[in-house]
Amino acid sequence: MRSSAGPLLGAVLASALTVLAGVGLMATASTLLATAALHPPLYRLMLLVTGVRFFGTSRGFFRYLERLLAHDATFRYLARLRTRLFAALIPRVPAAARGLASGRLQERLIGDVGRLESVPVRLLVPLGAALAVLAAVGLGLGRLHPGLGAVFGLGFLVATVPIPALGYLTAVRLGPRRGALSEELRQAAGELAEGLPELLVYGEAGGRVRALGELARRQARLERQEAALFALGEALLELAAGAVLVGLFWIGAEAIRQGDFPARWLPAVVLSGFAAFEAARPLPQAGVLLAEAGAAWRRIGTLIALPDPAPEPARPRSRPRRHDLELRGAWVGYPGASEAVLRGADLALPERRQLWLAGPSGSGKSTVAWTWLRFLLPQRGEARLGGSPIAALEGTEARRALVYLDPHPVVFFGTVRENLRVADPEADEEALWRALEAALLAERVRRLPAGLDTPLGPGGVVLSGGEARRLAIARAVLKNAPVWLLDEPTEGLDGSTERALLRRLAELLRGRSALWISHRPLPGLGLPRYRLEGGRVRRA
Amino acid sequence: MRALLREALGRPALLALALGSPLAAGAGAVVRAWFLARGIQAAFLEAAPPADLLPYAVGAAGSTAVLALARGLATAGGGALAAEVKAAVRQRLAARVAAAGPERLGEPPARVAMALSDAVEGLDGFFRGYLPALAEAAAVPLGILVLVAGFEPLSALVLLVTAPLIPLFMVLIGRWAEGVTARQWRALFALGAYFADALKGMATLRVFGAEGRARKTLERLAEDHRLATLRVLRVAFLSALVLELLATLSTAIVAVEVGLRLLAGRLGYLEAFFVLLLAPEYFGPLRALGAQFHPARSAQDAAATLARLNAAPLPRPAPACPPGTPPGLVLQGVRFRYPRGGGGLEGADLAVGPGELVTLVGPSGAGKSTLFKLVLGFLDPDAGTICLNRRPVRPDRFAYLPQTPFLFPGTLRENLLLASPQADRAALRRALERSGLDEVVARLPSGLETPVGEGGLGLSAGERQRLALARAFLKRPEAVLLDEPTAHLDEESEARVLAGILALRDEGVPVLAIAHRPALIGAADRVVRLERGRRLAGEAERAV
Ligand SMILES: Nc1ncnc2c1ncn2[C@@H]1O[C@H](COP(=O)(O)OP(=O)(O)O)[C@@H](O)[C@H]1O
Ligand SMILES: Nc1ncnc2c1ncn2[C@@H]1O[C@H](COP(=O)(O)OP(=O)(O)O)[C@@H](O)[C@H]1O
Ligand SMILES: [Mg+2]
């Protein structure tokens, strides 16, 4: 992955040069006028005219460079951030950070990545450029007269430190309240819209509308406060710029009286200091961003710091040849949860045998499958694969003999082909179609506009729940594993689809081991039934 | 857009602040430029002593104070205006949504929720940024132009000629760049979507040992996206170059032009320098307006969505019930046709007497759900009357179990008490028993205090169903509508729910249920079949 340091530095430089070109333009232009006022011969002005033209044109080029480099830096940074984050999350999803697999936690994570993404363009580049301009103009003015350098430096420092700090503090103080409030508002809006039939029937709609209105008014009050604080920052920035302007004028006038530098430089001195303030204008917003990015960074940090629920063994055993699965008095719980889900559970799935694991939802059926998949490890007791403790195997090795059907089958953003090749990147055309035939999906895929190369998901073809499940089955078929763990394979299917799919799965699984997880009966399979309740399994 | 402006006009003080302060700031900047020009002239050409310079320094400082105050007020005023308008728009939209009910809005609930939160938020930039910038761009450059024309017509001409180019180019380039970058946004979207999917499908990826490959794909997508985007941006950012060039070159042209005329003695120094100081103040607001182009566009889109929802029809007043209508739920000659698609009901007659359980059967698309929506008053019949106990229907007279019941985030108890806030413990217990929810509650360590809904315990479809049933049982309604009450239930639970429904019927409440499963159909007093021809037939088809 490419480092973003180079483009970032370039962007800072280009941004500073953009401002400095503006400074140069005002300085040469005002010197041009001051010189012309003394009515010298025309050729004395030519150099200044050239200077004015040079700065007038170069500024655009610097701005162009800055935008391009800053975006390059952003993209590089974003790529790095995403991949690093992803790599850090791999062992933690799904067992440690279940919320990431769906819903709000994921939304928040993606929002946080977005907030961090603008850090280079909106925080680092303006800050770096401001410091560069401060140094360049401050030193330049200071060399003419120390007082000029001091006035400029002081005014500019006020604009670069306390004023952004005000923005930062405002965001730190009000930001969380504002975030919480807009979250509440989003929730209230969702409840009103999605629960409207219930609310109308139970006579609660009016109350919810009033509550939403109250939230909206509270948000408005907070936003007014926020705007007032930002306004204060803006006014202070304007005051600092004006103070520098007047200060430079006063000290400069005194300096030319002393003969420290030629009188016709006075306008340039005053205007260059003033024009340099352009670099300070984005800073109050940068303070706000700093606060937001800091919060986002902390949230991501806690996610990455979640304990690994199944650390890899230091000296892994080689993969066992057999693949019977076992739980022996296994206690399995989730990090952060007070009580274990499996409390001394025993269950055996010998080779080429199949069984049905029933039990109310939340009893821990999926947890059994996840333990065998080595997504998490027993705290007490043992989980075994082919006679070896699973804890002593490498995760990828342990999973080689297993295939798992998720209760919520996932369709990845990409084509049908890419979705299938998750299971086997080398699978050829024929193997893909065979898998689709096996999963009763070939007919449907043939009818798609681009066959295997049809994009799925938003912007492409959206599969129905039953079709997505068949896609997942096709994937599983491609892996051709001897052990199948089927987690609620009929969830969300209507009666006739359910029966057809079960028949097909039974055919496919002949001669393999299978754990059928379902809280509902699985008609027509006639499997031995086990029931999970109270953290233990018993034969039913 | 007009509706938005009306909203702003309703707050004249804030509007005046948001629009007037930028003008005051512009005036402050012009006055300061004059004091500065005059002061520098005095110091440089007249070598005036400090005492003579003092008035100019004080003048520049004073006008700076005005300028700073005005800038602050502009920010505060714009922010306050945006905040107030958004709150008002939100409140009005929420009221409209509730008054129109779920079926007349013409948008799926998720979109309505988005409108209430995100679309309203999209108005922010219009009031906070665009409107003040528009006022400033409309007035300040014009004022400066008139001022300059008064003492230096030639420079005024240069300013006049270059000014319109800036917003013009900004809009042209903005439009063009928007199209070009839209394609890149899609690429970025693909990248984001892949990231989200890979997180969501992590278990699947790991099962197939594909997590490392996914990581590489992510890396490759990001790099592809970066290269492709930069290729486009190299062209798109030419806009930044052109704009910068226009503004700075115009200033440069003015500077050279006044410089040469100053040299030729056709212009005084004060005038020439003053014009130079005014040039950035002249172009500044125009550039600032161009930067607001995008927020203004997205606010326009948001406003269109909001206007559409705010125009959703309200329930029509129902005709009075004909004399002699029997008690219970009675539909007479009810016709309805969806404006789009032509589906609906043709001439439905149906009566469910007090203490009667009627099940509605029929193939999917026959109009069963449509009939429920009409009975609940979520839709208005084109003809016919729907009466409950001889009065026109209203949603709050029913208990209703929708096909996918909604769980409000909160505890189980809160979800139940929604139906009847004052329900006592006995009533609560009875509702729990009848729905079979008591079994579910008994399994939970925190019982009724267990949080459910988003962020709470994920209930299974069957558990949701039982919770919603308990809610329906808890209310003492005049009639009950159940849409497949025994879907998702195992046989044991189904039997309990059925017993609960029959107990309710035996208390004299009319019950109308949509059913597919044989147990519920068998328990009904009467089965009514809704045919594909959308005609209600077999009024007295007996249960077997
Ligand atoms: N990643 C997780 N973190 C914390 N708790 C979890 C996690 N995944 C599941 N649980 C909890 O573990 C219990 C068992 O869940 P699960 O195995 O999914 O049950 P089942 O498959 O029987 O419905 C539930 O109470 C659930 O809330
Ligand atoms: N919001 C709608 N807009 C247009 N047509 C609709 C709408 N809802 C349902 N329909 C149509 O009305 C007919 C009856 O639908 P519905 O009442 O949902 O049937 P059922 O509940 O019996 O399956 C169908 O042809 C359906 O396509
Ligand atoms: Mg499960």
Side-chain angles (χ1 to χ4, degrees), chain A residues 361, chain B residues 412 439-448 450 452 457 459 463:
Chain A
S361 61
Chain B
L412 274 175
E439 273 175 31
V440 180
V441 172
R443 263 208 324 272
L444 298 169
S446 333
L448 277 177
T450 309
V452 295
L457 181 74
L459 293 185
E463 290 164 341

Side-chain angles (χ1 to χ4, degrees), chain B residues 233-260:
Chain B
L233 290 184
R234 241 169 254 147
V235 183
F237 284 164
L238 286 176
S239 67
L241 188 145
V242 172
L243 282 171
E244 211 56 65
L245 220 55
L246 270 176
T248 41
L249 264 184
S250 311
T251 306
I253 290 170
V254 168
V256 172
E257 178 255 333
V258 291
L260 293 181

